[in-house]
Amino acid sequence: MTKKDLGLLILIIVVGAVVTYANPRFLSPLNLANTANVIGMFGISALGQAFVILTGGIELSVGSVIALTGVLFVDLIANQGVPWPIALLLMLGLGAVIGLFHGLLITKLKMQPFIVTLCGLLFYRGIARFYTGDSTAGFGFGQSFPDLEFLAAGRSFGVPNTFIAMLVITVIIWVVMHRSIFGRYLYAVGKNEEAARYSGIKTTLVIVAAYIICQVLTALSSVYFAMYTRSIAPSAHGNFYELYAIAAAVLGGFSLRGGEGSVVGVILGVVLLQELQNLVNMMSIPSSLNYAIMGGVILLGVLADQQFDAYRQRRRIAEAAKQTPQAERAAPAE
């Protein structure tokens, strides 16, 4: 755990203490379980976003992909009679295709990630609305999928399975990012893509792989969201979810310039955002101020992160100056 992660953990504890003092129901088993369930769903999509941000890119189509794949998944198992494991694999495959498409546009055609994914945000949302005739997709009366409902919305030992799935994925991604060659390549590309290319790294493959992983995890989270809501209005489902994912990554120490961040920080960022959501609900703050509070916290978090980086840079310069011999610092006498 880095110093940034530790600072974020302390902030989470402080905010949790404030919310608990204002409303002791915050620590009730029911509220903690519900919060953990939501953290699990948002955490999976935020981990995917982290891969893209690490390369210096951004993925704005996450919410629309959640709407599209969620609608398709529900229709396949509820109306088309497709077994849910096959439907799940199809959605993961669709996510991989979308990620591949975005990655190739960015690397081969040299388009800006912001433009590519912004167009995707509009395109996939429009497809989802057209597919359903702009109506709500959901399950029929009495339809039940016990195995799927247990895995997606059930609990094991009192812990939501979504949260357990997020923890398992977090461990895998931590190993990939921090203990594998591919992870080192991700950080290198994010720091300086041109230098990484001259070092022999196939930067195109690394960037495309990051977008594919992002959209596969997004598609997986969409299944959890679909089973959580049980109905999907494609015009609204998943709105601003990409901003939650980006905010969690940024709060967790990922730089939008790329090349920085830790997996633990992403999860802590998701926890903080959902804790703030609880703060709004339990302290009777008008829900209309929800996004305003989120935006203010994110702004303060980024500002604090920048100031911390500037402080560390000044410390490094000062330490380097102390280690430089006096004779080398002095100008030569004439």
Side-chain angles (χ1 to χ4, degrees):
M1 180 178 288
T2 65
K3 290 183 178 179
K4 288 184 180 180
D5 296 341
L6 183 59
L8 190 56
L9 178 60
I10 293 173
L11 179 59
I12 289 171
I13 294 173
V14 171
V15 173
V18 172
V19 180
T20 302
Y21 177 78
N23 192 332
R25 286 189 296 115
F26 174 73
L27 292 181
S28 68
L30 178 61
N31 183 63
L32 291 178
N34 290 336
T35 303
N37 185 35
V38 178
I39 288 173
M41 292 184 290
F42 279 106
I44 293 172
S45 64
L47 288 169
Q49 184 75 241
F51 274 92
V52 171
I53 293 178
L54 191 56
T55 65
I58 198 166
E59 181 55 87
L60 297 176
S61 66
V62 165
S64 297
V65 172
I66 286 175
L68 175 60
T69 53
V71 162
L72 292 175
F73 180 77
V74 170
D75 182 60
L76 286 176
I77 66 174
N79 302 322
Q80 307 303 326
V82 177
W84 71 262
I86 296 177
L88 174 61
L89 291 176
L90 289 174
M91 293 306 99
L92 297 181
L94 177 58
V97 170
I98 292 174
L100 175 63
F101 179 58
H102 289 183
L104 291 177
L105 288 177
I106 292 166
T107 57
K108 296 297 185 181
L109 299 184
K110 305 301 179 184
M111 297 182 68
Q112 291 292 324
F114 182 89
I115 299 300
V116 171
T117 59
L118 177 62
C119 292
L121 179 151
L122 301 173
F123 180 77
Y124 305 127
R125 177 77 61 184
I127 293 298
R129 297 180 67 173
F130 175 78
Y131 185 82
T132 62
D134 215 8
S135 59
T136 300
F139 297 99
F141 178 77
Q143 278 189 317
S144 178
F145 305 89
D147 294 339
L148 175 61
E149 289 169 0
F150 172 74
L151 292 174
R155 299 178 185 179
S156 298
F157 308 103
V159 180
N161 289 332
T162 51
F163 189 79
I164 295 174
M166 182 201 69
L167 292 180
V168 172
I169 293 171
T170 299
V171 172
I172 295 172
I173 291 178
W174 184 88
V175 173
V176 170
M177 278 194 180
H178 302 295
R179 291 295 184 269
S180 72
I181 295 175
F182 176 65
R184 290 197 291 271
Y185 287 174
L186 282 170
Y187 280 93
V189 170
K191 282 289 186 182
N192 191 321
E193 182 181 347
E194 187 175 357
R197 187 183 303 114
Y198 285 133
S199 299
I201 298 175
K202 296 180 179 179
T203 57
T204 295
L205 290 178
V206 172
I207 294 173
V208 171
Y211 280 89
I212 291 175
I213 293 171
C214 175
Q215 292 294 1
V216 168
L217 290 176
T218 298
L220 177 60
S221 70
S222 75
V223 173
Y224 285 115
F225 280 116
M227 298 306 298
Y228 176 69
T229 59
R230 303 287 297 181
S231 65
I232 299 174
S235 61
H237 186 77
N239 275 346
F240 299 111
Y241 283 14
E242 62 277 353
L243 299 185
Y244 275 97
I246 294 170
V250 171
L251 285 173
F254 276 79
S255 170
L256 292 176
R257 295 184 296 272
E260 295 180 25
S262 72
V263 175
V264 174
V266 176
I267 301 304
L268 292 176
V270 174
V271 172
L272 178 60
L273 288 175
Q274 293 309 314
E275 194 176 48
L276 291 172
Q277 185 75 45
N278 252 297
L279 175 69
V280 171
N281 295 334
M282 292 194 157
M283 296 188 68
S284 301
I285 298 174
S287 59
S288 55
L289 290 176
N290 186 16
Y291 290 119
I293 293 174
M294 295 287 184
V297 170
I298 294 168
L299 179 63
L300 292 175
V302 174
L303 179 61
D305 181 60
Q306 288 183 343
Q307 295 300 317
F308 181 72
D309 286 341
Y311 170 75
R312 287 195 306 170
Q313 183 67 19
R314 290 194 298 268
R315 283 283 302 273
R316 282 196 296 264
I317 294 174
E319 290 175 0
K322 289 179 181 178
Q323 293 174 1
T324 303
Q326 183 68 29
E328 293 183 12
R329 296 202 304 267
E334 296 183 2

